[in-house]
Amino acid sequence: MNTLQHAAELIAGAQRLVVFTGAGMSAESGVPTFRDALTGLWARYDAQALATPEAFQRDPALVWGWYEWRRELVERVDPNPGHEAVARLDCTLITQNVDQLHERAGSEDVLHLHGSLFEPRCSVCAQPAPPPPGAAGSGDGPRTPPACGNCGSPVRPGVVWFGEALPVDVLERAVEAAAAADVLITVGTAGVVYPAAEIPQVTARLGGSVIQVNPQATPLDEVCALNLRGTAAEVLPKIIR
Ligand code: BV8
Ligand code: ZN
């Protein structure tokens, strides 16, 4: 039996299935991963440098503009066949991605470990702010963040920045699901950002089978029962019936 067939068998026979996704899941929809060189104005910025509270403190307009550019980009693209295959599964879906492509493909109750581009909130009182109006033009330039309706402070993107804690309830649900899983599929993640990268390792440590879908090798290779060297949109429809 080849590895694709073996993976399909494991998935079809899973009692408690978890799917764990990273930026590579959305790559074939046209969303740059963190390791791709970003295009346009943002090419000279390092995502890791902008995805921090310090960057927002230092230059709220630049950081807000970068997230608005990313939000408008994900609004313009579509879920790919990988998202659609995952949406057919009865599973716990845990994502590091801040786009809403899993939801648009039909997945429900998606656990967003790193927040979402679509849940801006006040940077001081945390009051949720209305998502900004659709794509405010294709301008790439920095734009001043809106002011909170409650306290007037700058609104921030509803994502988890480097150095910030992940939402406790979401992380707890994710770790519980990974611990109980007999099969976990990890797709399109470099497996270097913690604590998210712990999730597939929890399943493996407790005896579950981890299947990895990624064109490249990653540090997660060694905990995986199967490493499928391919892309999300190509491989997932072949292993998910
Ligand atoms: C925290 C939201 C503590 C924002 C993101 C030193 C050692 C270890 C850890 C640390 C360290 N120094 C600091 C840390 C902690 C740090 C961390 O892990 N840093 C890393 C870089 C070393 N973690 C944190 O800061 C976390 N918080 O620790 O807080 C704390 C605790 C209590 C109280 C206070 C504080 C917060 C981390 C969350 C950061 N936010 N996103 C935004 O989106 O802008 S992370 C962000 O980067 C993404 O969400 C994503 O998770 C991550 C990128 O990772 P990937 O998803 O893996 O994507 P990447 O581009 O890296 O790789 C793509 C993969 O896909 C590749 O493997 C590629 O081969 C593959 N691929 C490409 N195309 C395809 C494909 N696969 C399939 N199909 C394709 N077509
Ligand atoms: Zn406020």
Side-chain angles (χ1 to χ4, degrees), residues 125-193:
C125 75
Q127 167 150 311
S138 60
D140 274 348
R143 285 164 244 159
T144 45
C148 165
N150 178 46
C151 75
S153 310
V155 168
R156 59 162 285 174
V159 300
V160 178
W161 278 325
F162 287 102
E164 292 188 320
L166 277 57
V168 176
D169 52 331
V170 176
L171 183 58
E172 268 172 12
R173 280 181 63 193
V175 169
E176 253 169 58
D182 51 336
V183 179
L184 179 142
I185 312 169
T186 175
V187 189
T189 183
V192 297
V193 174

Side-chain angles (χ1 to χ4, degrees), residues 1 6 16-17 39 66 75 98 111 122 132 142 150 195 200 241:
M1 175 172 16
H6 188 183
R16 285 172 310 287
L17 178 65
T39 52
W66 183 57
E75 282 187 329
V98 293
L111 296 179
C122 175
N150 178 46
R241 292 185 183 129

